[in-house]
Amino acid sequence: MFYATFSHKRSAEGALLVFALAVFIATFVTAYYYHIKDPLFHQNAFALLTVVVFVKSLYGMEVSLRPSRQAKRRVEVGRAGANDATEQARVDQRDRNIIKTMYQMIPVGLGSIALGFLIWNLDNAFCPTLRQWRRAVGLPWGILLEGHGWW
């Protein structure tokens, strides 16, 4: 998601730079996590990347879809009267509907990420206990107690 979000509408060189940055971040987080072996670092790094991608996605959606921002951009580029008023009103209404739908979907996405993050943290906090329960229950039901796997 990081690469897709930050390379969107960039030149080939810009996309390559974003790719290199994504590889660097992944390598650094993995190497540092391997060195310190602290799951909190890994979880915080993931949370930070998730927040950065989320905020950038919201910003991109607002800039590219919000009719008031598009009107401002059309004036700056000198295309204020390029479309007739009826067509522009249709496009603006479509964009408002898309934004409304996106903002309705955001709580579902955030909720699923938060639930997964909670399961991941509970799995880390209670790993020894969950491991004992998995052994006691056995397969296939023990799979349900694999918080890391579900995440």
Side-chain angles (χ1 to χ4, degrees):
M1 270 320 272
F2 181 87
Y3 174 76
T5 301
F6 284 92
S7 66
H8 181 67
K9 292 188 178 181
R10 296 207 185 267
S11 65
E13 294 83 14
L16 187 59
L17 222 60
V18 171
F19 177 76
L21 179 64
V23 168
F24 172 77
I25 290 170
T27 303
F28 172 77
V29 168
T30 302
Y32 193 68
Y33 172 69
Y34 183 75
H35 174 69
I36 64 171
K37 294 179 179 33
D38 182 7
L40 278 178
F41 169 75
H42 191 258
Q43 291 167 346
N44 289 331
F46 176 79
L48 179 64
L49 279 173
T50 301
V51 168
V52 167
V53 168
F54 175 73
V55 170
K56 172 70 166 107
S57 298
L58 278 182
Y59 174 78
M61 180 178 68
E62 284 291 330
V63 167
S64 66
L65 290 175
R66 182 73 59 191
S68 59
R69 293 182 191 259
Q70 287 181 353
K72 210 183 288 183
R73 209 169 348 142
R74 283 192 300 271
V75 169
E76 289 171 0
V77 179
R79 295 183 310 165
N83 292 339
D84 69 331
T86 308
E87 174 62 13
Q88 192 58 54
R90 184 193 69 75
V91 169
D92 289 349
Q93 184 58 44
R94 179 204 64 192
D95 290 348
R96 277 191 287 277
N97 290 339
I98 291 171
I99 289 172
K100 181 181 176 190
T101 302
M102 293 297 289
Y103 276 107
Q104 289 170 346
M105 293 170 59
I106 286 171
V108 174
L110 288 177
S112 65
I113 287 174
L115 179 63
F117 202 68
L118 174 69
I119 291 170
W120 186 15
N121 281 296
L122 290 173
D123 189 47
N124 282 332
F126 302 108
C127 189
T129 305
L130 290 172
R131 206 176 280 153
Q132 288 175 349
W133 290 356
R134 281 194 299 268
R135 287 188 190 121
V137 172
L139 288 174
W141 303 111
I143 293 172
L144 297 175
L145 297 171
E146 285 282 352
H148 241 87
W150 286 102
W151 166 243

